[in-house]
Amino acid sequence: MIPVKAYAAQSPSSALAPFQFERRDLKEHDVLVDILFSGVCHSDLHQARDEWGGSMYPMVPGHEIVGKIIKTGVQVKKFSPGDLAGVGVMVDSCRECRPCKNYMEQYCAEGMTGTYNNYERDRVTIAQGGYSTRIVCDERWVYHISDKLDLAGVAPLLCAGITTYSPLKYAGVRPGHKVAVAGLGGLGHMAVKFAVAMGAEVTMLSTSPSKANDALKLGAHHFVLSKDAAAMKKLESHFDVVLDAVSGNHDYEIYLKLLDVQGKLLVVGLPKEAPRVSPFELIKNRRCILGSMIGGTLETQEMLDFCAEKNIVADVEVIPMHYINEAYERMLKNDVKYRFVIDMASLK
Ligand code: NAP
Ligand code: ZN
Ligand code: ZN
């Protein structure tokens, strides 16, 4: 077994604290990754505090992982020791069902194996995430990372990046499209970068007036305060796509109203309470609400290659491991610019 240092939550109400555990020895298709950076997703906070129900403890969160391969199993083809590597939100799936055969493992009929807060395929071991020094993972769920990009800025691509790239691509965002992004946090700021890179005219919808300049610096063409009823009224039936990356409780209606004929509301945010939807707003303009969960293994590699080609990384605030509880509190106050990333050297 492989000893690992980590930070874990022991219960929904306990702060994250130092924790040690062991990872499995390498199976033939496994790689061992020395973790350099680990991004902090709002889903980490939702799960550590059991906001979605069913959380498993002890829990080592973290599913935006970048590091270096230090060892490979005997059958590994994709990687050699010394290669840069990324691990995202899932680490396994059944591999046999239709979604798995189509490399959409996040929709596995038996349920994907999440990187943490999930049982491994053996249904006994609890998977543990990236707030740790090392991780063992089957090579199918490990990605190549370009050495041209800033590694701390790459870590958030493994969740915030793929979760916004995948639905924007599925919605066919292209030049001439008007796209709005709601919620300027980790996911929202990546959505702005991708929608701009795909050629759309992009509007940021935010509850925080202080983020206006940053939104424009990120590439958004317009910034609108979502609490400004008059400004929102002017945008009714205006957009082809609205991407909802809001973490807190809210109704879909204020964003639905903004959609033009056959417009799509792309839902990625996962608040605790189910949002309200008016069927009248839905049938008007033949609007559509479309949910999306991360992205499959092939699409994740495609997104990472797209980022390397277009020089896209997340805007990050690098923190030491022991700052994590303060980082969670700041995330709840919408005070993140725009992703916390843990420098794992602080734990070694
Ligand atoms: P984050 O960095 O905390 O950003 C969330 C942003 O939402 C905030 O910065 C704030 O932006 C806005 N917001 C928060 N509460 C709000 C409210 N009540 N009403 C309106 N706006 C509000 O979070 P994140 O890491 O980007 O994650 C966003 C959500 O996506 C989370 O719920 C997370 O669990 C979920 N998620 C889903 C997937 C998936 O596969 N679908 C993957 C990863 C994460 P402003 O200050 O601009 O208003
Ligand atoms: Zn995430
Ligand atoms: Zn499957």
Side-chain angles (χ1 to χ4, degrees):
M1 299 292 275
I2 300 166
V4 174
K5 283 191 198 170
Y7 259 54
Q10 297 290 342
S11 77
S13 57
S14 66
L16 269 70
F19 175 68
Q20 301 207 0
F21 68 103
E22 292 183 322
R23 298 216 183 257
R24 65 170 182 262
D25 288 323
L26 268 61
K27 294 190 273 188
E28 48 189 22
H29 286 285
D30 283 345
V31 297
L32 175 62
V33 181
D34 177 39
I35 302 178
L36 299 173
F37 293 102
S38 201
V40 179
C41 181
H42 206 113
S43 301
D44 298 347
L45 188 158
H46 287 308
Q47 292 175 92
R49 299 191 176 176
D50 198 19
E51 290 180 352
W52 298 335
S55 283
M56 298 171 176
Y57 300 92
M59 182 196 299
V60 178
H63 57 208
E64 296 186 333
I65 298 165
V66 165
K68 225 172 218 176
I69 303 278
I70 39 181
K71 206 172 161 192
T72 54
V74 290
Q75 295 286 352
V76 168
K77 305 266 184 326
K78 262 167 77 175
F79 295 99
S80 306
D83 289 350
L84 292 173
V87 178
V89 180
M90 53 180 172
V91 289
D92 212 336
S93 68
C94 86
R95 309 169 188 210
E96 300 293 335
C97 70
R98 200 149 57 139
C100 283
K101 287 200 165 133
N102 290 326
Y103 296 93
M104 295 173 83
E105 303 91 338
Q106 74 275 35
Y107 305 122
C108 173
E110 289 184 11
M112 66 172 196
T113 304
T115 305
Y116 67 88
N117 193 25
N118 239 228
Y119 285 117
E120 302 264 7
R121 298 320 285 180
D122 64 10
R123 307 281 179 216
V124 177
T125 319
I126 298 179
Q128 300 290 14
Y131 300 180
S132 61
T133 49
R134 298 190 279 184
I135 189 164
V136 174
C137 186
D138 184 292
E139 62 177 329
R140 175 163 170 178
W141 285 269
V142 183
Y143 310 100
H144 289 287
I145 302 292
S146 164
D147 60 6
K148 294 191 197 88
L149 298 176
D150 170 59
L151 286 185
V154 168
L157 301 179
L158 277 305
C159 174
I162 184 61
T163 301
T164 50
Y165 177 90
S166 184
L168 289 171
K169 217 183 144 204
Y170 184 69
V173 170
R174 57 184 175 274
H177 269 187
K178 292 193 177 81
V179 172
V181 176
L184 185 43
L187 268 59
H189 96 292
M190 289 311 307
V192 168
K193 291 186 186 211
F194 285 135
V196 169
M198 291 170 186
E201 182 182 333
V202 179
T203 300
M204 184 71 230
L205 306 172
S206 171
T207 60
S208 307
S210 62
K211 294 180 183 173
N213 282 339
D214 283 357
L216 302 179
K217 272 192 226 148
L218 289 166
H221 304 95
H222 315 280
F223 177 90
V224 173
L225 264 186
S226 50
K227 293 174 188 157
D228 179 342
M232 291 292 274
K233 178 101 190 128
K234 275 193 201 150
L235 292 177
E236 280 183 9
S237 299
H238 181 77
F239 294 103
D240 301 289
V241 165
V242 177
L243 186 143
D244 175 347
V246 169
S247 57
N249 297 328
H250 65 290
D251 285 332
Y252 287 158
E253 211 155 303
I254 64 163
Y255 305 127
L256 261 186
K257 282 180 193 251
L258 308 186
L259 290 171
D260 195 1
V261 175
Q262 306 200 128
K264 297 183 181 76
L265 177 65
L266 308 179
V267 170
V268 293
L270 293 167
K272 197 171 166 178
E273 286 171 18
R276 208 169 52 89
V277 180
S278 153
F280 291 93
E281 286 302 336
L282 199 55
I283 64 166
K284 181 174 175 189
N285 286 353
R286 197 198 249 171
R287 290 162 174 151
C288 160
I289 302 179
L290 198 150
S292 192
M293 179 161 59
I294 51 169
T297 51
L298 281 188
E299 195 176 36
T300 300
Q301 188 64 60
E302 174 192 304
M303 177 276 310
L304 288 164
D305 296 345
F306 179 83
C307 289
E309 186 196 318
K310 306 260 181 195
N311 204 20
I312 293 174
V313 287
D315 290 22
V316 300
E317 178 175 339
V318 177
I319 58 168
M321 187 69 251
H322 63 78
Y323 187 76
I324 190 65
N325 296 301
E326 219 166 320
Y328 277 9
E329 290 312 312
R330 281 182 53 194
M331 195 147 70
L332 284 174
K333 290 185 204 136
N334 300 339
D335 176 22
V336 192
K337 290 191 167 176
Y338 279 91
R339 197 60 140 187
F340 290 116
V341 171
I342 306 159
D343 180 353
M344 295 316 306
S346 62
L347 189 61
K348 286 173 190 162

